[in-house]
Amino acid sequence: MGSSGRDNTTPKPGPGVRRRHLLFGGAAAGVGALAAVGTQLAGKPVPPMPSDSGDGANGARTVPFYGDRQAGVGTAAQAHGVFLALDLKEGTTPERLKSLLKLLSDDAANLTQGKAALADTEGELALRPARLTVTFGFGPSLFRVAGTVPVPDGVSGLPAFSIDKLVPEFCGGDLLLQICADDPLSVAHAQRMLLKDSRRFTTVRWVQTGFRRAYGTEQSGTTMRNLFGQVDGTSNPVPGSAEFEKVVYGDGGTGSWAPHGTSLVIRRISMHLDKWDELDRSGREESVGRKLANGAPLTGTAEHDEPDFAAVTPVGFPVIADFAHLRRARPDDPSQRIFRRAFNYDSVPGAGSVSDSGLIFASYQADIGRQFVPIQRRLDELDLLNLWTTPVGSAVFAIPPGCAPGGFVGEGLFA
């Protein structure tokens, strides 16, 4: 701080100053002590959330938390997302797990509706949720702690793939919190509140932060682009459609582990952009099987045109090669489909490199073994994009049904 020309001698505090310091210190100590034993605090009232002004801002927009299904799956993908994996502390009992899920469900219900969470000392940050969603996922150890429902098939883990170079800091986890919103401040505040209220029960295993285009940059419904510049997710089933229902929540042939439940595979895929820079545009398009300009297959003109895998060049080679990502990822069996809801990530590059970037690949499906694994095996066997990508993280979670007001996510584990 610069000099103001005043006498900078520190005055001795008067009695009133000392009393205010004492009162403030005592209040802070009381808050800490109460939080430590999990007591609900009555914070300072927060002003009501203002309505949108009609200027196009979406800060006041909310996504319902309560319902048969959790939000954040079929919800139109927000601009910012955090995947937060927690481990239950040693000795966690079913009753403590139940208390944790009740507490976090209550927090999520408030925050997603623009209300302060329990003991929220920065409640003003909750007023503009910007389509905030919080989605819970359960790892295998959480089922074992609850002790009433078997670990669902596929949630115990994925088979080994030859392309994987997995690191422990991005793998596994007992409890997942997927936090998404169109405002990074809303995401950051929700993350902090949920971590504050879970710290007596859990430890942080890993955090992955991702992004898409900022709200308003493109028309709603535009397929995202990854950091290779590719249109990413063209073949996704449309939320609300019969195909989406079948892929994500199952039907008579492909059943989910629980009614209104699904499963989530998270793969952290490092994208070697420095090497990708060395490839010309035609090489990039051939490796993907799609045109970079609009995502159309090499045999078509528009993004959603059906690819013609039988088409050949004048010299007899397939227009979309066997090694193209489009051909490897697109199954012949229609039951082998997934719903992807990915986010880009961009971390601090290491010494000598330009980037440390990639994709947080989030795949929802009713049955991991029947839907996700066959696709991943084909990519593992022959996908030219493997030259420029490396999976470094992998985790699997069961996504439980939603809950009604007064209930909590995961209550079916304790029925």
Side-chain angles (χ1 to χ4, degrees):
M1 300 291 290
S3 172
S4 62
R6 298 178 181 175
D7 183 0
N8 291 325
T9 303
T10 303
K12 293 182 180 180
V17 173
R18 286 198 297 269
R19 184 169 65 230
R20 285 196 298 272
H21 285 182
L22 178 61
L23 289 173
F24 179 80
V31 168
L34 288 173
V37 297
T39 303
Q40 179 175 340
L41 300 177
K44 181 180 178 181
V46 176
M49 180 174 64
S51 61
D52 280 339
S53 61
D55 59 1
N58 74 331
R61 293 177 63 192
T62 60
V63 178
F65 176 77
Y66 294 114
D68 290 337
R69 296 171 179 173
Q70 291 195 73
V73 180
T75 306
Q78 300 96 320
H80 303 274
V82 166
F83 296 85
L84 175 64
L86 305 174
D87 283 338
L88 299 174
K89 287 187 175 180
E90 190 75 23
T92 297
T93 64
E95 282 304 312
R96 283 182 63 80
L97 174 58
K98 186 176 181 180
S99 297
L100 168 66
L101 295 176
K102 283 183 175 179
L103 181 58
L104 294 182
S105 295
D106 188 72
D107 282 347
N110 283 329
L111 291 166
T112 58
Q113 304 311 300
K115 301 175 183 178
L118 299 177
D120 193 341
T121 54
E122 296 85 30
E124 287 78 10
L125 297 181
L127 298 181
R128 308 290 288 185
R131 296 198 307 124
L132 176 70
T133 57
V134 178
T135 311
F136 293 62
F138 297 164
S141 292
L142 188 145
F143 284 91
R144 298 187 187 106
V145 170
T148 56
V149 177
V151 178
D153 292 340
V155 176
S156 296
L158 299 174
F161 300 108
S162 64
I163 58 175
D164 288 358
K165 293 185 179 179
L166 305 180
V167 293
E169 53 264 38
F170 293 123
C171 296
D174 296 340
L175 172 63
L176 174 78
L177 298 174
Q178 174 192 285
I179 308 168
C180 302
D182 287 326
D183 180 9
L185 187 60
S186 298
V187 172
H189 181 65
Q191 175 181 317
R192 180 167 181 263
M193 292 302 102
L194 294 167
L195 283 177
K196 281 174 66 175
D197 280 344
S198 64
R199 60 187 171 188
R200 292 188 298 118
F201 306 88
T202 67
T203 57
V204 175
R205 186 180 183 97
W206 50 256
V207 179
Q208 300 189 55
T209 302
F211 59 90
R212 292 179 168 222
R213 291 281 194 185
Y215 172 77
T217 301
E218 294 178 323
Q219 291 293 326
S220 177
T222 302
T223 308
M224 72 165 281
R225 286 186 183 268
N226 62 36
L227 294 178
F228 278 165
Q230 304 162 347
V231 174
D232 194 322
T234 296
S235 61
N236 254 353
V238 178
S241 67
E243 185 66 17
F244 176 85
E245 292 294 310
K246 178 180 178 180
V247 169
V248 178
Y249 295 102
D251 60 8
T254 303
S256 177
W257 68 277
H260 300 299
T262 185
S263 61
L264 170 63
V265 178
I266 300 175
R267 304 269 286 173
R268 185 179 182 89
I269 302 174
S270 174
M271 301 168 68
H272 311 307
L273 291 174
D274 298 0
K275 293 182 179 179
W276 184 252
D277 287 343
E278 301 170 1
L279 191 62
D280 64 18
R281 191 174 186 86
S282 63
R284 295 180 179 190
E285 292 183 335
E286 288 177 12
S287 67
V288 178
R290 291 187 179 274
K291 300 172 183 177
L292 291 175
N294 62 356
L298 296 182
T299 56
T301 58
E303 178 187 352
H304 295 285
D305 287 348
E306 281 294 312
D308 181 1
F309 293 124
V312 296
T313 67
V315 295
F317 291 107
V319 176
I320 301 176
D322 288 343
F323 55 68
H325 182 77
L326 170 59
R327 185 183 284 267
R328 306 306 298 177
R330 192 180 183 91
D332 295 327
D333 184 347
S335 69
Q336 296 175 5
R337 295 196 65 190
I338 60 175
F339 177 71
R340 51 193 296 162
R341 199 174 187 274
F343 289 83
N344 299 305
Y345 75 83
D346 187 39
S347 302
V348 178
S353 64
V354 176
S355 62
D356 179 6
S357 305
L359 192 71
I360 305 172
F361 181 90
S363 170
Y364 286 93
Q365 56 282 302
D367 189 318
I368 292 173
R370 295 182 61 181
Q371 294 171 259
F372 177 85
V373 171
I375 297 173
Q376 188 59 47
R377 280 182 172 146
R378 288 195 300 274
L379 297 176
D380 188 49
E381 292 166 357
L382 182 65
D383 179 6
L384 196 61
L385 274 185
N386 293 339
L387 294 175
W388 301 279
T389 61
T390 302
V392 295
S394 186
V396 182
F397 298 93
I399 305 300
C403 62
F408 62 96
V409 176
E411 59 190 323
L413 297 182
F414 307 93

